[in-house]
Amino acid sequence: MEDRSHKVLLALVMLFLFAVIVLQYVCPGTECQLLRLRALSPAAAADPYRAEDETPARFVPRFNFSAGDLLRRVDFNIKGDDLIVFLHIQKTGGTTFGRHLVRNIQLEQPCECRAGQKKCTCHRPGKRETWLFSRFSTGWSCGLHADWTELTNCVPSVVDSKKEVRLRPSRNFYYITILRDPVSRYLSEWRHVQRGATWKASLHVCDGRSPTTEELPSCYTGDDWSGCSLQEFMDCPYNLANNRQVRMLSDLSLVGCYNLSVMPEEQRNKVLLDSAKENLKRMAFFGLTEFQRKTQYLFEKTFNMNFISPFTQYNSTRASSVEIDEQTQRRIEALNFLDMELYDYAKDLFLQRYQYMRQKEHQEARRKRQEQRKILRAKQALLREQGENSSSTDYIGNVERWRR
């Protein structure tokens, strides 16, 4: 009897697993992923996009944005000439997101990723031309971790370098990026540098040239800065880790590139911050490392492209394992004061966009339900009318027969 119950239990488990696998293939999009998550986790059934960190469930906006700033839906034509350009800022989770772009999107012609190769081939359907400009598709074609200034000047010429000017198509370039909490990002970069990373291959091209050693001095004298302490990392005044996100998202030509003598420091900082905010707002899409599921949702709604598997929120990272006191925390925030302000702005815009898109989605769903109910009521009314006409016809026919 006990052996029989074990067999029944095993059969039920196998049946459940088979159903999950079938659902994965039959319906791989986000909506079905939510159904799977709800089935496996009843506690999350209320809303799969509930706060992924300590952010209150009810978000209170701080900045005023227009409907045009909040609504992000681009008509991305993957079969045409449109191009998605990924601006990859160091230690923001860009590597993970970049892999999602080449391995996890449901496409008519998926990217071809071969074992042992760093780059994937992401061709448009029926064409030998890429639709994605990123580290994992085209490599560092505009330089290692190229910034906004480099990409906007480099990408158009790189993708059409083999074509005559008159034959080059009129493309839409859709820029995207990922941001991260500045303190966590800074600590993560320090740990990365401590292990030997240098990014010496970065070009930092601005106004047609790379900066001189006087404009951009090095923080170390050897081959790398491995083993540096956090104090040493913070003490270097030339450290590009300071306010990296603002620098990489702004138009550096507005401030004379890396020449600090062009304008006063306070004016330079304001121009850089304003430029970074404007460029970020005008980008087709940006996500936040701290909100993986919302990042996935907004990308899918923006580009009308669905990921196969849901994003995972990793709260345990190398940066999170670093314990710092309050004084060090304040020092890092001071060194990254521009990034702190940009991140507050970005987080507010990101959550407002998410809230706005969800409201639009609910309104559209409500409109469809109302239309369906209207159609159903019309059908019911038509059936009742046909039934009444049929009854009236039968009654008149019976009266005629009685008269005979």
Side-chain angles (χ1 to χ4, degrees):
M1 183 70 180
E2 187 177 348
D3 183 53
R4 184 179 178 184
S5 64
H6 285 165
K7 289 181 178 179
V8 172
L9 182 61
L10 180 62
L12 290 173
V13 171
M14 295 297 291
L15 183 63
F16 174 76
L17 292 175
F18 177 74
V20 171
I21 293 171
V22 169
L23 184 59
Q24 169 72 39
Y25 282 95
V26 172
C27 189
T30 300
E31 299 303 323
C32 294
Q33 290 163 17
L34 301 185
L35 292 175
R36 290 198 293 276
L37 289 172
R38 287 170 182 166
L40 295 173
S41 178
D47 186 357
Y49 297 103
R50 289 185 66 182
E52 296 160 285
D53 62 359
E54 294 78 19
T55 303
R58 184 170 179 79
F59 166 65
V60 180
R62 292 175 49 208
F63 297 90
N64 293 321
F65 295 105
S66 68
D69 295 332
L70 300 180
L71 183 61
R72 272 294 180 271
R73 283 178 179 160
V74 301
D75 185 19
F76 178 66
N77 184 7
I78 194 171
K79 294 182 179 180
D81 298 307
D82 295 350
L83 193 71
I84 293 177
V85 182
F86 180 34
L87 194 164
H88 185 172
I89 302 172
Q90 289 96 315
K91 313 314 294 178
T92 58
T95 298
T96 299
F97 184 76
R99 289 198 179 105
H100 278 305
L101 292 177
V102 297
R103 297 177 182 271
N104 192 29
I105 294 184
Q106 184 181 354
L107 296 170
E108 177 183 335
Q109 183 174 324
C111 296
E112 184 180 341
C113 302
R114 296 180 180 178
Q117 293 187 357
K118 293 183 179 180
K119 293 191 295 183
C120 301
T121 302
C122 297
H123 283 162
R124 307 178 191 276
K127 294 183 179 180
R128 296 186 61 80
E129 181 183 276
T130 188
W131 56 268
L132 175 65
F133 193 98
S134 76
R135 166 189 179 181
F136 292 118
S137 56
T138 55
W140 302 112
S141 301
C142 289
L144 180 63
H145 286 286
D147 56 32
W148 172 271
T149 307
E150 293 174 294
L151 287 176
T152 52
N153 286 281
C154 166
V155 172
S157 59
V158 167
V159 295
D160 292 320
S161 60
K162 297 179 180 179
K163 298 178 182 177
E164 295 181 30
V165 175
R166 62 185 181 84
L167 297 177
R168 292 178 182 177
S170 177
R171 299 181 186 273
N172 292 314
F173 294 97
Y174 295 112
Y175 286 85
I176 64 174
T177 195
I178 301 291
L179 297 184
R180 186 180 182 183
D181 169 76
V183 175
S184 297
R185 199 214 64 78
Y186 188 85
L187 289 171
S188 182
E189 181 164 343
W190 163 61
R191 292 295 299 270
H192 199 56
V193 169
Q194 194 180 45
R195 296 191 302 273
T198 63
W199 296 301
K200 286 190 293 187
S202 295
L203 302 176
H204 305 300
V205 174
C206 178
D207 283 350
R209 67 175 182 87
S210 295
T212 64
T213 53
E214 288 76 21
E215 292 174 328
L216 193 59
S218 177
C219 287
Y220 53 90
T221 55
D223 292 334
D224 56 46
W225 207 5
S226 58
C228 74
S229 67
L230 180 56
Q231 189 65 47
E232 292 172 326
F233 194 72
M234 293 188 294
D235 286 344
C236 177
Y238 321 113
N239 196 342
L240 289 178
N242 301 342
N243 295 310
R244 180 181 288 280
Q245 295 179 102
V246 164
R247 179 179 59 79
M248 292 189 66
L249 287 172
S250 61
D251 183 355
L252 295 176
S253 64
L254 297 175
V255 295
C257 301
Y258 293 89
N259 185 352
L260 302 182
S261 64
V262 170
M263 63 181 66
E265 182 180 4
E266 186 176 349
Q267 181 185 356
R268 176 186 175 87
N269 289 337
K270 184 181 186 307
V271 172
L272 287 174
L273 181 60
D274 290 345
S275 176
K277 286 181 177 179
E278 185 63 23
N279 289 338
L280 188 71
K281 184 175 68 175
R282 294 174 61 186
M283 274 186 168
F285 162 84
F286 72 88
L288 299 181
T289 302
E290 289 73 24
F291 298 92
Q292 290 293 313
R293 294 297 306 283
K294 292 181 177 69
T295 291
Q296 175 182 356
Y297 173 84
L298 286 176
F299 182 91
E300 291 179 337
K301 294 301 178 184
T302 299
F303 287 98
N304 194 27
M305 301 169 77
N306 290 326
F307 290 98
I308 299 168
S309 301
F311 287 14
T312 304
Q313 186 68 49
Y314 294 106
N315 293 318
S316 177
T317 62
R318 289 190 177 94
S320 65
S321 66
V322 178
E323 294 184 4
I324 57 175
D325 56 32
E326 187 176 344
Q327 183 179 357
T328 304
Q329 170 90 13
R330 288 199 300 268
R331 175 84 190 281
I332 294 173
E333 290 175 355
L335 288 170
N336 294 275
F337 72 100
L338 294 177
D339 273 11
M340 295 294 292
E341 189 169 339
L342 176 67
Y343 186 78
D344 285 344
Y345 174 89
K347 184 176 178 180
D348 196 271
L349 176 56
F350 175 87
L351 292 176
Q352 283 199 52
R353 280 181 177 172
Y354 167 76
Q355 193 176 63
Y356 186 83
M357 294 294 281
R358 290 282 279 176
Q359 288 173 352
K360 285 289 184 183
E361 187 178 39
H362 292 156
Q363 290 170 0
E364 181 65 17
R366 191 183 306 115
R367 185 188 64 79
K368 288 182 178 179
R369 288 196 300 269
Q370 290 172 347
E371 285 184 356
Q372 289 171 352
R373 284 196 291 267
K374 187 176 180 181
I375 293 172
L376 180 60
R377 284 195 296 268
K379 287 182 178 179
Q380 290 173 341
L382 180 62
L383 289 173
R384 282 196 300 270
E385 184 180 347
Q386 290 175 344
E388 290 171 358
N389 290 339
S390 176
S391 299
S392 177
T393 303
D394 291 344
Y395 175 76
I396 294 172
N398 289 333
V399 170
E400 290 295 328
R401 283 196 296 272
W402 295 337
R403 285 178 178 177
R404 293 179 193 153

